[in-house]
Amino acid sequence: EPLCLKQLSTLVVDSLRTVADEKRISIDLRAPDDLPPVRGDHDKVEQILWNLIGNAVKFTPAQGTVTVTAERAHD
């Protein structure tokens, strides 16, 4: 199904913001508004994002920064 990576990434980042705040970690999402949809399994892509971003927050030292970037690949 078509998926909006920005929307899914925003959901995950916002959900992990409390955990990041507890560790005094800055978490930032950089994704353009015109990012095209991708095709994939919604639940699996969301789980991948949870794993990647969650591990980034978990393993970043206190007062660190996690930056999540989504961009269109250039041919």
Side-chain angles (χ1 to χ4, degrees):
E1 65 187 273
L3 305 171
C4 176
L5 279 182
K6 182 171 184 173
Q7 182 180 17
L8 275 174
S9 298
T10 299
L11 172 79
V12 173
V13 166
D14 287 348
S15 297
L16 288 168
R17 198 168 299 281
T18 301
V19 176
D21 287 347
E22 288 172 1
K23 287 183 67 178
R24 297 181 317 268
I25 293 173
S26 170
I27 186 167
D28 184 36
L29 173 62
R30 297 178 186 171
D33 290 333
D34 63 346
L35 196 64
V38 297
R39 294 194 56 80
D41 181 294
H42 179 277
D43 293 337
K44 290 186 190 307
V45 173
E46 184 176 359
Q47 186 62 51
I48 290 166
L49 292 171
W50 271 100
N51 291 345
L52 289 172
I53 301 167
N55 281 340
V57 170
K58 181 178 179 180
F59 293 108
T60 297
Q63 299 180 344
T65 301
V66 171
T67 303
V68 180
T69 304
E71 59 187 32
R72 174 182 236 149
H74 298 283
D75 294 330

